[in-house]
Amino acid sequence: MKDWNYENEQWTKLPTYLKHLPLFTRHIDSFSVFMRFLWSIFLKNVAFKFYIRLEVKGTPFKEIYKTQPKLIIISNHASHLDAVSIAASIPRRYWLNLYIAAAKDYFFSNGLFTFFSQHCLGAIPIDRKDRRGEAINLILKLLSELPRMWLIIFPEGTRSKDGKIQEFKRGVSIFSERTQTPLLFTYLEGNMELWPKGQPIPLPGKLVLHVGPVHPPGPIQQVYDAYKAWVVTINPNAFAAPKEEAQDDSEQV
């Protein structure tokens, strides 16, 4: 394995809390590779096979991988299962190019979570109070410079409390437009029932991941409208009714 270049400009400019990440080029250390392999065995062959029955519908990831070396994978977000269930649906051999944008205040809140996020998830910590844009710049740099990268991100920004898909934050469009990275639409069906916000552990059951179209980079409203148009063909009730309509309905009642 090639020696790590500690004088690498990318490395020396990293903020302290990011310097532990096995990122940049292909110099992922062997310990992280081993831990991620063990985690993939547990996730794909145990947890999402016997406890949660994960079904994937749509275009197989192995076909998408042939034509899309860089992708931003977006999905609805209502459960802690969401990121790991998408990872579990992706072939193990692609995992070293797979990253997850994760809230720093949760996924890096203590030593155990940090170890798990670093070595198993390939998580990129997003500081939701960051005013300097360090995490944004890091993701832009990675999407620009890595030859292959699939990034899982939840454009709602936080988990939905009622399972209804919320408006998208504009960050996903910033990443996509500035780096000309296409977006892969996915939709998780059943995540809210298995592990809603506030529940300590997930319930056993069935989870379906729908893999949709690849969408070109575009403004956030355009992305949201296209995502909504696709999701309602699967679940017409996935989105909350517009406030105006809800008010009209209440007046009629």
mmCIF file of all heavy atoms in Angstrom, residues 10 13 21 23 35 38 43 45 52 57 72 74 87 108 117 123 126 140 154 208 227 234 236 239 241 243 251-252:
data_model
loop_
_atom_site.group_PDB
_atom_site.id
_atom_site.type_symbol
_atom_site.label_atom_id
_atom_site.label_comp_id
_atom_site.label_asym_id
_atom_site.label_seq_id
_atom_site.Cartn_x
_atom_site.Cartn_y
_atom_site.Cartn_z
ATOM 1 N N GLN A 10 -4.312 18.736 1.060
ATOM 2 C CA GLN A 10 -5.680 18.467 1.497
ATOM 3 C C GLN A 10 -5.704 18.104 2.977
ATOM 4 O O GLN A 10 -6.580 18.499 3.726
ATOM 5 C CB GLN A 10 -6.263 17.317 0.690
ATOM 6 C CG GLN A 10 -6.460 17.645 -0.780
ATOM 7 C CD GLN A 10 -6.877 16.429 -1.553
ATOM 8 O OE1 GLN A 10 -6.468 15.308 -1.208
ATOM 9 N NE2 GLN A 10 -7.655 16.619 -2.587
ATOM 10 N N LYS A 13 -4.818 21.094 5.503
ATOM 11 C CA LYS A 13 -5.826 22.144 5.600
ATOM 12 C C LYS A 13 -7.104 21.673 6.271
ATOM 13 O O LYS A 13 -8.030 22.456 6.451
ATOM 14 C CB LYS A 13 -6.156 22.673 4.197
ATOM 15 C CG LYS A 13 -5.044 23.524 3.609
ATOM 16 C CD LYS A 13 -5.463 24.126 2.288
ATOM 17 C CE LYS A 13 -4.374 25.048 1.746
ATOM 18 N NZ LYS A 13 -4.787 25.641 0.444
ATOM 19 N N LEU A 21 -10.639 11.019 9.484
ATOM 20 C CA LEU A 21 -11.397 10.300 8.465
ATOM 21 C C LEU A 21 -10.504 9.613 7.440
ATOM 22 O O LEU A 21 -9.527 10.182 6.974
ATOM 23 C CB LEU A 21 -12.337 11.261 7.737
ATOM 24 C CG LEU A 21 -13.469 11.803 8.589
ATOM 25 C CD1 LEU A 21 -14.230 12.869 7.823
ATOM 26 C CD2 LEU A 21 -14.403 10.693 8.993
ATOM 27 N N LEU A 23 -10.265 9.426 4.393
ATOM 28 C CA LEU A 23 -10.733 10.004 3.142
ATOM 29 C C LEU A 23 -9.571 10.287 2.213
ATOM 30 O O LEU A 23 -8.424 9.997 2.500
ATOM 31 C CB LEU A 23 -11.476 11.313 3.426
ATOM 32 C CG LEU A 23 -12.705 11.210 4.310
ATOM 33 C CD1 LEU A 23 -13.235 12.608 4.585
ATOM 34 C CD2 LEU A 23 -13.779 10.384 3.636
ATOM 35 N N MET A 35 -12.644 -3.393 9.144
ATOM 36 C CA MET A 35 -13.829 -3.106 9.949
ATOM 37 C C MET A 35 -15.075 -2.939 9.067
ATOM 38 O O MET A 35 -16.161 -3.376 9.412
ATOM 39 C CB MET A 35 -13.615 -1.830 10.779
ATOM 40 C CG MET A 35 -12.617 -1.986 11.914
ATOM 41 S SD MET A 35 -13.044 -3.335 13.045
ATOM 42 C CE MET A 35 -14.662 -2.834 13.607
ATOM 43 N N LEU A 38 -16.269 -6.386 8.058
ATOM 44 C CA LEU A 38 -17.017 -7.044 9.137
ATOM 45 C C LEU A 38 -18.414 -6.439 9.272
ATOM 46 O O LEU A 38 -19.410 -7.147 9.446
ATOM 47 C CB LEU A 38 -16.258 -6.909 10.458
ATOM 48 C CG LEU A 38 -14.955 -7.682 10.596
ATOM 49 C CD1 LEU A 38 -14.363 -7.467 11.991
ATOM 50 C CD2 LEU A 38 -15.160 -9.171 10.340
ATOM 51 N N LEU A 43 -24.331 -6.396 8.500
ATOM 52 C CA LEU A 43 -25.455 -5.624 7.973
ATOM 53 C C LEU A 43 -26.211 -6.390 6.888
ATOM 54 O O LEU A 43 -27.440 -6.520 6.937
ATOM 55 C CB LEU A 43 -24.932 -4.299 7.403
ATOM 56 C CG LEU A 43 -25.952 -3.185 7.202
ATOM 57 C CD1 LEU A 43 -26.495 -2.714 8.536
ATOM 58 C CD2 LEU A 43 -25.298 -2.007 6.468
ATOM 59 N N ASN A 45 -25.746 -9.679 5.731
ATOM 60 C CA ASN A 45 -26.008 -11.112 5.863
ATOM 61 C C ASN A 45 -26.752 -11.502 7.135
ATOM 62 O O ASN A 45 -27.163 -12.654 7.271
ATOM 63 C CB ASN A 45 -24.691 -11.891 5.779
ATOM 64 C CG ASN A 45 -23.979 -11.664 4.458
ATOM 65 O OD1 ASN A 45 -23.150 -10.769 4.342
ATOM 66 N ND2 ASN A 45 -24.316 -12.441 3.456
ATOM 67 N N ILE A 52 -34.541 -7.589 9.705
ATOM 68 C CA ILE A 52 -35.306 -6.727 8.812
ATOM 69 C C ILE A 52 -35.171 -7.280 7.404
ATOM 70 O O ILE A 52 -34.068 -7.454 6.897
ATOM 71 C CB ILE A 52 -34.797 -5.268 8.868
ATOM 72 C CG1 ILE A 52 -35.075 -4.685 10.254
ATOM 73 C CG2 ILE A 52 -35.465 -4.425 7.776
ATOM 74 C CD1 ILE A 52 -34.491 -3.320 10.468
ATOM 75 N N LYS A 57 -36.164 -2.570 -5.044
ATOM 76 C CA LYS A 57 -36.906 -2.534 -6.298
ATOM 77 C C LYS A 57 -36.330 -1.438 -7.200
ATOM 78 O O LYS A 57 -35.897 -0.395 -6.719
ATOM 79 C CB LYS A 57 -38.391 -2.259 -6.042
ATOM 80 C CG LYS A 57 -39.106 -3.358 -5.256
ATOM 81 C CD LYS A 57 -40.596 -3.041 -5.122
ATOM 82 C CE LYS A 57 -41.335 -4.171 -4.418
ATOM 83 N NZ LYS A 57 -42.785 -3.886 -4.269
ATOM 84 N N ILE A 72 -24.809 11.410 -6.143
ATOM 85 C CA ILE A 72 -25.357 11.801 -4.845
ATOM 86 C C ILE A 72 -26.676 11.056 -4.701
ATOM 87 O O ILE A 72 -27.610 11.279 -5.480
ATOM 88 C CB ILE A 72 -25.574 13.322 -4.763
ATOM 89 C CG1 ILE A 72 -24.230 14.048 -4.894
ATOM 90 C CG2 ILE A 72 -26.241 13.696 -3.442
ATOM 91 C CD1 ILE A 72 -24.361 15.562 -4.948
ATOM 92 N N ILE A 74 -29.979 10.378 -2.915
ATOM 93 C CA ILE A 74 -30.866 11.069 -1.974
ATOM 94 C C ILE A 74 -32.072 10.185 -1.662
ATOM 95 O O ILE A 74 -32.488 9.362 -2.470
ATOM 96 C CB ILE A 74 -31.327 12.442 -2.500
ATOM 97 C CG1 ILE A 74 -32.200 12.307 -3.755
ATOM 98 C CG2 ILE A 74 -30.130 13.325 -2.812
ATOM 99 C CD1 ILE A 74 -32.841 13.622 -4.176
ATOM 100 N N ALA A 87 -27.008 1.519 2.381
ATOM 101 C CA ALA A 87 -25.693 0.878 2.278
ATOM 102 C C ALA A 87 -25.841 -0.630 2.118
ATOM 103 O O ALA A 87 -25.130 -1.258 1.322
ATOM 104 C CB ALA A 87 -24.855 1.209 3.508
ATOM 105 N N PHE A 108 -20.894 11.665 15.721
ATOM 106 C CA PHE A 108 -19.561 11.851 16.298
ATOM 107 C C PHE A 108 -19.675 12.404 17.717
ATOM 108 O O PHE A 108 -18.834 13.163 18.173
ATOM 109 C CB PHE A 108 -18.740 12.802 15.411
ATOM 110 C CG PHE A 108 -18.441 12.231 14.046
ATOM 111 C CD1 PHE A 108 -19.369 12.317 13.028
ATOM 112 C CD2 PHE A 108 -17.233 11.593 13.792
ATOM 113 C CE1 PHE A 108 -19.105 11.783 11.768
ATOM 114 C CE2 PHE A 108 -16.962 11.054 12.537
ATOM 115 C CZ PHE A 108 -17.899 11.146 11.523
ATOM 116 N N SER A 117 -18.709 5.458 13.051
ATOM 117 C CA SER A 117 -18.917 6.348 11.904
ATOM 118 C C SER A 117 -17.684 6.397 11.021
ATOM 119 O O SER A 117 -17.774 6.433 9.791
ATOM 120 C CB SER A 117 -19.263 7.761 12.391
ATOM 121 O OG SER A 117 -20.438 7.747 13.158
ATOM 122 N N ALA A 123 -18.477 7.951 7.290
ATOM 123 C CA ALA A 123 -19.319 9.135 7.475
ATOM 124 C C ALA A 123 -18.503 10.418 7.384
ATOM 125 O O ALA A 123 -17.396 10.511 7.901
ATOM 126 C CB ALA A 123 -20.030 9.064 8.825
ATOM 127 N N ILE A 126 -21.196 16.405 9.316
ATOM 128 C CA ILE A 126 -21.783 17.687 8.941
ATOM 129 C C ILE A 126 -22.140 18.434 10.223
ATOM 130 O O ILE A 126 -22.980 17.979 11.002
ATOM 131 C CB ILE A 126 -23.062 17.484 8.097
ATOM 132 C CG1 ILE A 126 -22.743 16.662 6.838
ATOM 133 C CG2 ILE A 126 -23.661 18.836 7.735
ATOM 134 C CD1 ILE A 126 -21.791 17.310 5.885
ATOM 135 N N LEU A 140 -17.447 19.192 -1.438
ATOM 136 C CA LEU A 140 -17.207 19.704 -2.793
ATOM 137 C C LEU A 140 -15.846 19.255 -3.310
ATOM 138 O O LEU A 140 -15.706 18.864 -4.477
ATOM 139 C CB LEU A 140 -17.299 21.234 -2.795
ATOM 140 C CG LEU A 140 -18.688 21.829 -2.573
ATOM 141 C CD1 LEU A 140 -18.600 23.347 -2.444
ATOM 142 C CD2 LEU A 140 -19.622 21.463 -3.722
ATOM 143 N N PHE A 154 -29.379 13.058 2.919
ATOM 144 C CA PHE A 154 -30.819 13.203 3.104
ATOM 145 C C PHE A 154 -31.174 14.690 3.009
ATOM 146 O O PHE A 154 -30.909 15.456 3.941
ATOM 147 C CB PHE A 154 -31.241 12.604 4.452
ATOM 148 C CG PHE A 154 -30.911 11.145 4.562
ATOM 149 C CD1 PHE A 154 -29.792 10.723 5.278
ATOM 150 C CD2 PHE A 154 -31.675 10.197 3.911
ATOM 151 C CE1 PHE A 154 -29.463 9.374 5.346
ATOM 152 C CE2 PHE A 154 -31.356 8.845 3.978
ATOM 153 C CZ PHE A 154 -30.250 8.435 4.696
ATOM 154 N N VAL A 208 -38.657 -1.674 2.211
ATOM 155 C CA VAL A 208 -38.463 -1.676 0.754
ATOM 156 C C VAL A 208 -37.704 -0.427 0.338
ATOM 157 O O VAL A 208 -38.082 0.695 0.718
ATOM 158 C CB VAL A 208 -39.816 -1.729 0.009
ATOM 159 C CG1 VAL A 208 -39.582 -1.726 -1.502
ATOM 160 C CG2 VAL A 208 -40.609 -2.960 0.424
ATOM 161 N N TYR A 227 -38.387 14.823 -7.659
ATOM 162 C CA TYR A 227 -38.396 13.725 -6.676
ATOM 163 C C TYR A 227 -39.831 13.434 -6.222
ATOM 164 O O TYR A 227 -40.246 12.276 -6.148
ATOM 165 C CB TYR A 227 -37.516 14.103 -5.487
ATOM 166 C CG TYR A 227 -37.409 13.021 -4.444
ATOM 167 C CD1 TYR A 227 -36.553 11.936 -4.610
ATOM 168 C CD2 TYR A 227 -38.175 13.066 -3.274
ATOM 169 C CE1 TYR A 227 -36.456 10.934 -3.667
ATOM 170 C CE2 TYR A 227 -38.085 12.079 -2.315
ATOM 171 C CZ TYR A 227 -37.233 11.008 -2.515
ATOM 172 O OH TYR A 227 -37.150 10.016 -1.562
ATOM 173 N N ILE A 234 -45.284 5.920 -6.244
ATOM 174 C CA ILE A 234 -45.104 4.765 -5.360
ATOM 175 C C ILE A 234 -46.040 4.866 -4.157
ATOM 176 O O ILE A 234 -46.720 3.913 -3.788
ATOM 177 C CB ILE A 234 -43.643 4.696 -4.871
ATOM 178 C CG1 ILE A 234 -42.692 4.616 -6.061
ATOM 179 C CG2 ILE A 234 -43.445 3.519 -3.914
ATOM 180 C CD1 ILE A 234 -41.252 4.867 -5.697
ATOM 181 N N PRO A 236 -48.767 7.733 -2.872
ATOM 182 C CA PRO A 236 -49.434 9.038 -3.036
ATOM 183 C C PRO A 236 -49.523 9.841 -1.741
ATOM 184 O O PRO A 236 -49.743 11.049 -1.779
ATOM 185 C CB PRO A 236 -50.830 8.649 -3.535
ATOM 186 C CG PRO A 236 -50.666 7.275 -4.113
ATOM 187 C CD PRO A 236 -49.613 6.603 -3.283
ATOM 188 N N PHE A 239 -46.175 12.684 0.975
ATOM 189 C CA PHE A 239 -45.960 14.096 1.300
ATOM 190 C C PHE A 239 -47.177 14.648 2.042
ATOM 191 O O PHE A 239 -48.310 14.214 1.800
ATOM 192 C CB PHE A 239 -45.739 14.909 0.022
ATOM 193 C CG PHE A 239 -44.463 14.573 -0.695
ATOM 194 C CD1 PHE A 239 -44.376 13.439 -1.509
ATOM 195 C CD2 PHE A 239 -43.334 15.382 -0.558
ATOM 196 C CE1 PHE A 239 -43.201 13.120 -2.171
ATOM 197 C CE2 PHE A 239 -42.160 15.067 -1.220
ATOM 198 C CZ PHE A 239 -42.083 13.937 -2.024
ATOM 199 N N ALA A 241 -50.062 17.281 2.892
ATOM 200 C CA ALA A 241 -50.872 18.144 2.040
ATOM 201 C C ALA A 241 -50.390 19.577 2.180
ATOM 202 O O ALA A 241 -49.980 19.998 3.266
ATOM 203 C CB ALA A 241 -52.340 18.041 2.433
ATOM 204 N N LYS A 243 -50.254 23.441 2.922
ATOM 205 C CA LYS A 243 -50.938 24.124 4.020
ATOM 206 C C LYS A 243 -52.234 24.769 3.562
ATOM 207 O O LYS A 243 -53.228 24.772 4.259
ATOM 208 C CB LYS A 243 -50.013 25.173 4.644
ATOM 209 C CG LYS A 243 -48.820 24.581 5.369
ATOM 210 C CD LYS A 243 -47.957 25.653 5.980
ATOM 211 C CE LYS A 243 -46.773 25.028 6.706
ATOM 212 N NZ LYS A 243 -45.872 26.062 7.281
ATOM 213 N N GLU A 251 -61.804 24.165 6.776
ATOM 214 C CA GLU A 251 -62.928 25.084 6.707
ATOM 215 C C GLU A 251 -64.172 24.387 6.177
ATOM 216 O O GLU A 251 -65.287 24.651 6.624
ATOM 217 C CB GLU A 251 -62.548 26.262 5.806
ATOM 218 C CG GLU A 251 -61.500 27.168 6.440
ATOM 219 C CD GLU A 251 -61.021 28.248 5.472
ATOM 220 O OE1 GLU A 251 -61.434 28.194 4.292
ATOM 221 O OE2 GLU A 251 -60.247 29.114 5.906
ATOM 222 N N GLN A 252 -63.944 23.450 5.225
ATOM 223 C CA GLN A 252 -65.084 22.731 4.670
ATOM 224 C C GLN A 252 -65.705 21.818 5.711
ATOM 225 O O GLN A 252 -66.914 21.652 5.770
ATOM 226 C CB GLN A 252 -64.646 21.922 3.455
ATOM 227 C CG GLN A 252 -64.266 22.803 2.260
ATOM 228 C CD GLN A 252 -63.676 22.007 1.130
ATOM 229 O OE1 GLN A 252 -63.661 20.778 1.183
ATOM 230 N NE2 GLN A 252 -63.193 22.686 0.110
#
